[in-house]
Amino acid sequence: MLKFIKYYSNQTVQTNTTSLPAKKLLDQVRDKIRFKHYSLSTENTYISWIKQYIIFNGKRHPTEIGAAEVEAFLTDLATQRHVSSSTQNQALSAVLFLYRDVLAVDLPWLDGFERSKKPRRLPVVLTPMEVQALLREAASAPEPIGLIIKLLYGTGMRLMEAVRLRVKDVELTRQEVIVCDGKGNKDRVTMLPENLMLHLQDQLVKAKRLHDKDLSEGFGAVYLPDALERKYPHANKSWRWQYVFPSPVLSIDPRSGVTRRHHLYEQSVQKVVRIAAQRAQINKPVSPHVLRHSFATHLLQNGYDIRTVQELLGHSDVSTTMIYTHVLNKGGKAVVSPLDNL
């Protein structure tokens, strides 16, 4: 027992408290990540990089090492493991999070690190014919994966935004989709293609049938963001909060340990897109995000102004959207080759 004296109102009060064992470092990292409401994928990524950083430095405590060790770790990633600049920056973000947010270490060298410059590359964009071929090959995939792929191209949503779509965010009457908690924790509205209306209605019927089955078996509660589950105790079982694209199986939430139905696994969509691109003989690196690039590019080609496209994509700065204007160029910067004037 530790005893200490506390003075209050000129009176002496003796208080007893029990010394609690200090949490392990990685548990402290997890607590801080969850306190900041970071996603589970960010949590797993940061934990992984921090582990690698500690192991690289002989399992010494991070407070015993500093700038030289961080630089050596990042250099090893680039020279020995040949990681990309974005991966190297991701590792640096994890290490800085450890020092600044978890250990609360205010060291001058934290601000001295420069991030690797990410090479400026043009986005991969499919032609309308290639998109048609890709969608045709993906149509044979198990439902609702084919519908999700069409939704990615038809709305410009990111993959995680699509699989996390909730029933309440689909406005069939107004033909729009509300993207909640998108990248940067921002909400936005995008269109709902008329060609997908009936397919989406069918998917909602299937999802409702699955939800009713879960309720009858004692399940049916879905994950709610932030503290909504405590604020609205019964909301997690309501239909409006359910995922439009639920997982076919129940699973255990890795954070809470609760058994419930999560959204469709995003890697299932990635796999189908990869296989569909191969079958369509598209000689470009194709991923679900390429459909978002194609969505923006084709809108600009069809004459929509860049500010409208910016809002649909949810970009904070129009300069991010400007990268898609490269497809509007003919040849090099819209200059006609002299050979074509002969």
Side-chain angles (χ1 to χ4, degrees), residues 133-134 137-138 140-141 272-282:
L134 180 70
E137 293 296 334
S140 60
V272 169
V273 169
R274 185 172 63 252
I275 294 174
Q278 293 172 353
R279 290 178 177 172
Q281 298 182 345
I282 300 174

Side-chain angles (χ1 to χ4, degrees), residues 196-233:
L196 298 183
M197 291 285 288
L198 292 178
H199 299 289
L200 202 52
Q201 286 176 337
D202 291 341
Q203 173 59 30
L204 288 171
V205 170
K206 293 176 183 176
K208 182 65 166 62
R209 189 181 304 127
L210 188 60
H211 177 55
D212 290 340
K213 177 177 177 293
D214 287 343
L215 288 174
S216 66
E217 295 176 355
F219 298 102
V222 72
Y223 164 79
L224 295 183
D226 302 329
L228 287 176
E229 194 164 344
R230 291 194 300 272
K231 190 174 182 180
Y232 305 106

Side-chain angles (χ1 to χ4, degrees), residues 126-139:
L126 303 180
T127 66
M129 293 293 291
E130 288 173 331
V131 172
Q132 288 180 15
L134 180 70
L135 297 181
R136 186 167 54 249
E137 293 296 334

Side-chain angles (χ1 to χ4, degrees), residues 175-209:
Q175 285 189 230
E176 63 183 29
V177 174
I178 303 171
V179 181
C180 295
D181 296 326
K183 189 175 182 180
N185 199 29
K186 295 176 294 186
D187 296 351
R188 71 179 190 278
V189 178
T190 186
M191 81 285 282
L192 178 59
E194 188 173 351
N195 288 339
L196 298 183
M197 291 285 288
L198 292 178
H199 299 289
L200 202 52
Q201 286 176 337
D202 291 341
Q203 173 59 30
L204 288 171
V205 170
K206 293 176 183 176
K208 182 65 166 62
R209 189 181 304 127

